[in-house]
Amino acid sequence: MGRYILRRLLQMIPVFIGTTLIIFLMVYALPGDPVRALFGDKAPDAATLAALRHQYGLDLPLWHQYWNYLSGIFKGDLGTSYSQQPVASILGAAIPVTIRLALVAFVIEMVFGVLFGVISGLRRGKLADSVLLFVTLIVIAIPTFVIGYVFQVVFGNNLGWVTPTVNDSYNITQLILPGIVLGLVSLAYVSRLTRTSVVENVRADYMRTAVAKGLPRRRIVGVHLMRNSLIPVITFLGTDLGALMGGAIVTEGIFNIQGVGNVLYKAINQADGPLVVGTVTFLVIVYLVASLIVDLLYAVLDPRIRYA
Amino acid sequence: MSTTDTTAVGQGNTTPSGTSLLEVDDLHVEFKTRDGIVRAVNGVSYSVDSGETLAVLGESGSGKSVTAQAVMGILDMPPARIPSGEIRYRGQNLLTMSNEARRKVRGAKIAMIFQDALSSLNPVLTVGYQLSEMFRVHRGMSRKEAKARAVDLMDRVRIPAAKERVNDYPHQFSGGMRQRIMIAMALALEPDLIIADEPTTALDVTVQAQVMDLLADLQKEFHMGLILITHDLGVVADVADKIAVMYAGRIVETAPVHELYKNPAHPYTKGLLQSIPRLDQKGQELYAIKGLPPNLLNIPEGCAFNPRCPMAQEVCRHELPPLHEVTDDSGRPIAGRGSACHFWKETLHG
């Protein structure tokens, strides 16, 4: 187990270097000169330009710039955005917001997704099952920005249950509606995945054994069925937590939430290279850690998985 | 359905007070499928007493397992349905019991051992957990107490180093050891009756004998009734007291074990015995009963075996033979013997 974790951590190094390098090169290849852009319409003199280039290290060869960037990361320095703020402090303000939003969405999709999936799986072919399959299909088919705007108008503007946009991104109660919007598609996937898994396992031989042992039904379902059925679901949920942390660009935009997705959206629009690279680096790390945790969790849940 | 085809020969060991350990009485089970109603069990009656072993013999699809699952109460209903019949445990009809009362019988009074131990054990729970669950649920023991009992059980079914292995998972055991764990689980609460559904079919031949011996020993020790479901005539000879041969959801022959081997009274049993490969027939073609087992959606009229039977006559195609008492040469009925063949006499002497 220890060796396995070590090997997984070592495997993360090339992935980390590869992704950051690609992003770094892509931002470098963007058209336009960011230093000139700082001056807007005015034409700066060559000496000022050169001084600024030197200040940002943009006069160095590309490999040197990348090296400076990588070594900065390990000192906790993600560079300085072109808006003169340290990238680390911009992300530092956005990450807690995104974590809150992601957790709200995660709890909603986990609790309701598994609940609906189990009910539906145990009543395969009945009305509740058909309704779930139909509704989840619709939810999966509708893009998030449509659901987001509809919910915003209906629950925010028309019914007035919540504020249409979030004015305090740290306030969890304001994040509930955006959380539902963010988690809805995953909720549909979790329901369907749970349902399929329950249907598959409910006819398994060990379920027959559990009945033959004279166990009460809640134990047969709650222990024997769940421990097996939830293995693929938990794997999905783990990966999805990583996706929720970074994939909230649309939702954060609709509800004006000052999270990581928002930061990334603005940075791309403003061609703010250091900020884009810094944010993406953060997201890469989140994904890597999430997938490592999922793999480890998988082995805990299913003892047949061996670390070879 | 006339009752003549299920005369009480199968209940030959019933005590005068009528309280055998388990009595199955004219049981019918059918499954509703898209293609129609599958009649899997068509009026089966048998009984088992404490300390007695009944072997139920038959091909796949003969209804032997379905009958056992009905006794156990683990049929999926629907699609299964029990339109008529009784299953009495110590005189109580299990089929009319409340679900909760039935649950308390399962595992505690009547336990079952399945064919494939690997798929029948929960893959993600340790064997210790699965064994101790019996004590925790039925006896309300603490986790720790139950775990200690689980180790005792594993010792009892002769699993080496039980204490170290109690926290292992099913896939970490060999096939024979896994089946021992299934046996331990069935024995946990010292039930009155064990139903073993092809307990050795999935095992290597050398291990088969060990597991059968273990089962037979434990049965003697605890004085339990045992219903052994199998298609393996070799397994039966050593351990069974009496045999019921099933075909197309009916019992076609019942007999004490040695009588059956010596002198079968049904052409189907005869065919089964002939199809056992024997060393002294080396070089000869192996005997096989011609034809295929019947389609349970459409069981042949008359005797279900008639299309495959070498002795079939016109009467076999129209008239369902009842389970006749089998008599000896002087006309006295032989205890426990019955044959559902119009020509049982000819079969017996032919």
Side-chain angles (χ1 to χ4, degrees):
Chain A
M1 181 90 173
R3 285 182 57 145
Y4 176 78
I5 296 175
L6 188 71
R7 217 181 58 218
R8 281 300 307 266
L9 288 172
L10 289 176
Q11 277 173 2
M12 283 164 81
I13 295 171
V15 177
F16 179 75
I17 292 175
T19 44
T20 49
L21 183 62
I22 289 168
I23 264 309
F24 192 85
L25 293 177
M26 282 166 77
V27 171
Y28 184 83
L30 282 178
D33 182 343
V35 179
R36 255 177 216 284
L38 286 175
F39 294 89
D41 292 338
K42 283 181 263 180
D45 61 285
T48 320
L49 278 179
L52 275 172
R53 285 219 164 85
H54 184 73
Q55 186 198 325
Y56 287 114
L58 295 174
D59 53 346
L60 297 168
L62 190 59
W63 65 266
H64 200 161
Q65 289 184 36
Y66 181 66
W67 172 253
N68 282 347
Y69 178 69
L70 267 192
S71 52
I73 289 175
F74 290 102
K75 287 179 237 151
D77 175 16
L78 289 168
T80 307
S81 105
Y82 292 151
S83 60
Q84 306 299 328
Q85 281 174 280
V87 171
S89 69
I90 297 177
L91 285 179
I95 289 171
V97 175
T98 290
I99 289 177
R100 280 182 174 78
L101 181 62
L103 283 182
V104 171
F106 186 72
V107 168
I108 288 168
E109 74 176 59
M110 180 172 68
V111 172
F112 290 99
V114 170
L115 187 70
F116 294 158
V118 170
I119 292 172
S120 168
L122 290 176
R123 293 163 188 267
R124 183 160 78 131
K126 305 266 173 63
L127 182 68
D129 184 33
S130 308
V131 169
L132 181 102
L133 286 176
F134 182 71
V135 172
T136 51
L137 195 64
I138 289 176
V139 169
I140 291 169
I142 299 176
T144 300
F145 71 85
V146 175
I147 296 176
Y149 282 123
V150 168
F151 276 26
Q152 184 178 44
V153 169
V154 172
F155 298 110
N157 298 14
N158 295 359
L159 294 172
W161 291 355
V162 292
T163 51
T165 54
V166 174
N167 49 40
D168 174 7
S169 297
Y170 291 89
N171 185 338
I172 288 264
T173 50
Q174 292 200 2
L175 291 178
I176 288 175
L177 185 67
I180 292 173
V181 171
L182 181 61
L184 207 55
V185 172
S186 295
L187 193 160
Y189 277 118
V190 170
S191 311
R192 283 179 155 247
L193 193 62
T194 309
R195 174 195 177 272
T196 310
S197 190
V198 165
V199 166
E200 230 169 66
N201 281 291
V202 83
R203 302 219 171 278
D205 285 352
Y206 64 80
M207 287 293 287
R208 192 185 55 186
T209 310
V211 178
K213 282 164 87 176
L215 305 180
R217 183 158 170 81
R218 59 174 186 282
R219 188 173 186 92
I220 296 170
V221 171
V223 177
H224 288 263
L225 180 61
M226 283 303 111
R227 276 290 269 109
N228 283 279
S229 300
L230 289 185
I231 293 171
V233 179
I234 287 175
T235 316
F236 176 83
L237 283 172
T239 332
D240 199 52
L241 186 60
L244 287 174
M245 295 287 290
I249 294 180
V250 173
T251 311
E252 290 186 359
I254 294 171
F255 293 99
N256 182 40
I257 299 165
Q258 306 302 317
V260 176
N262 213 337
V263 168
L264 186 61
Y265 179 71
K266 283 182 191 154
I268 293 169
N269 265 346
Q270 293 161 7
D272 191 336
L275 191 54
V276 173
V277 178
T279 311
V280 172
T281 305
F282 165 73
L283 296 180
V284 167
I285 293 172
V286 167
Y287 267 102
L288 287 178
V289 172
S291 69
L292 176 64
I293 291 172
V294 166
D295 284 354
L296 294 179
L297 208 58
Y298 201 66
V300 172
L301 292 170
D302 191 343
R304 285 164 299 181
I305 305 279
R306 292 277 178 86
Y307 302 108
Chain B
M1 181 68 53
S2 73
T3 49
T4 47
D5 59 328
T6 55
T7 42
V9 181
Q11 301 167 17
N13 285 17
T14 308
T15 45
S17 56
T19 50
S20 258
L21 179 59
L22 182 87
E23 290 165 301
V24 176
D25 191 0
D26 195 20
L27 184 74
H28 291 73
V29 182
E30 54 190 40
F31 292 88
K32 218 169 144 183
T33 69
R34 218 172 299 175
D35 302 321
I37 290 172
V38 173
R39 298 183 203 286
V41 178
N42 303 296
V44 163
S45 304
Y46 58 58
S47 73
V48 198
D49 279 318
S50 295
E52 187 181 43
T53 300
L54 165 72
V56 182
L57 204 70
E59 303 167 290
S60 33
S62 62
K64 58 192 195 302
S65 289
V66 173
T67 310
Q69 285 169 13
V71 172
M72 212 51 218
I74 54 172
L75 284 169
D76 280 326
M77 308 213 270
R81 210 170 77 83
I82 301 180
S84 65
E86 281 193 6
I87 300 170
R88 289 185 298 270
Y89 164 73
R90 293 191 183 282
Q92 280 179 291
N93 187 359
L94 292 173
L95 296 177
T96 51
M97 268 185 185
S98 73
N99 284 339
E100 187 59 14
R102 189 87 193 270
R103 177 178 78 72
K104 286 181 173 150
V105 173
R106 274 198 291 262
K109 304 288 180 200
I110 305 178
M112 190 152 177
I113 298 166
F114 297 97
Q115 177 177 344
D116 182 358
L118 181 58
S119 64
S120 297
L121 290 167
N122 195 322
V124 300
L125 301 173
T126 64
V127 297
Y129 183 93
Q130 296 184 60
L131 287 170
S132 51
E133 204 174 24
M134 299 297 284
F135 299 109
R136 289 172 58 199
V137 169
H138 287 278
R139 298 279 185 265
M141 283 187 195
S142 72
R143 235 169 234 271
K144 209 175 149 192
E145 225 179 329
K147 191 59 127 334
R149 296 293 292 271
V151 175
D152 289 348
L153 272 176
M154 286 170 72
D155 271 332
R156 187 147 231 169
V157 294
R158 300 170 209 155
I159 291 173
K163 207 168 195 147
E164 286 85 65
R165 303 219 65 187
V166 69
N167 290 323
D168 281 357
Y169 291 92
H171 72 270
Q172 292 168 298
F173 290 83
S174 67
M177 288 298 150
R178 274 197 290 268
Q179 196 55 282
R180 282 162 196 258
I181 287 165
M182 281 302 293
I183 293 174
M185 205 184 287
L187 281 172
L189 304 175
E190 301 185 9
D192 298 331
L193 176 70
I194 287 198
I195 303 173
D197 190 353
E198 312 224 4
T200 59
T201 306
L203 302 176
D204 290 342
V205 183
T206 47
V207 182
Q208 282 185 3
Q210 292 171 10
V211 169
M212 265 334 291
D213 286 348
L214 174 71
L215 198 55
D217 287 353
L218 291 166
Q219 182 208 3
K220 254 191 218 100
E221 190 184 334
F222 293 103
H223 199 63
M224 297 176 296
L226 175 65
I227 299 178
L228 182 65
I229 297 159
T230 183
H231 60 249
D232 186 343
L233 284 155
V235 169
V236 171
D238 299 333
V239 292
D241 298 310
K242 57 183 188 182
I243 296 188
V245 181
M246 285 187 72
Y247 188 82
R250 285 174 206 283
I251 291 180
V252 293
E253 177 164 8
T254 61
V257 65
H258 297 295
E259 301 257 353
L260 185 117
Y261 278 82
K262 223 166 45 196
N263 210 353
H266 194 284
Y268 176 63
T269 318
K270 213 167 184 174
L272 282 180
L273 290 169
Q274 274 170 16
S275 58
I276 303 174
R278 281 179 12 203
L279 278 175
D280 59 354
Q281 288 174 337
K282 199 175 166 193
Q284 294 175 34
E285 199 176 325
L286 205 56
Y287 178 83
I289 302 173
K290 65 174 181 163
L292 293 169
N295 177 358
L296 294 175
L297 279 164
N298 190 11
I299 297 172
E301 206 191 325
C303 170
F305 188 58
N306 84 70
R308 304 172 72 188
C309 182
M311 303 178 68
Q313 308 280 323
E314 199 47 36
V315 63
C316 303
R317 283 182 261 284
H318 303 297
E319 209 178 297
L320 182 69
L323 195 63
H324 298 281
E325 274 189 334
V326 174
T327 55
D328 60 13
D329 295 334
S330 55
R332 275 193 300 268
I334 307 169
R337 285 212 74 167
S339 167
C341 178
H342 294 299
F343 302 101
W344 63 268
K345 265 184 199 146
E346 289 80 350
T347 313
L348 199 60
H349 301 295

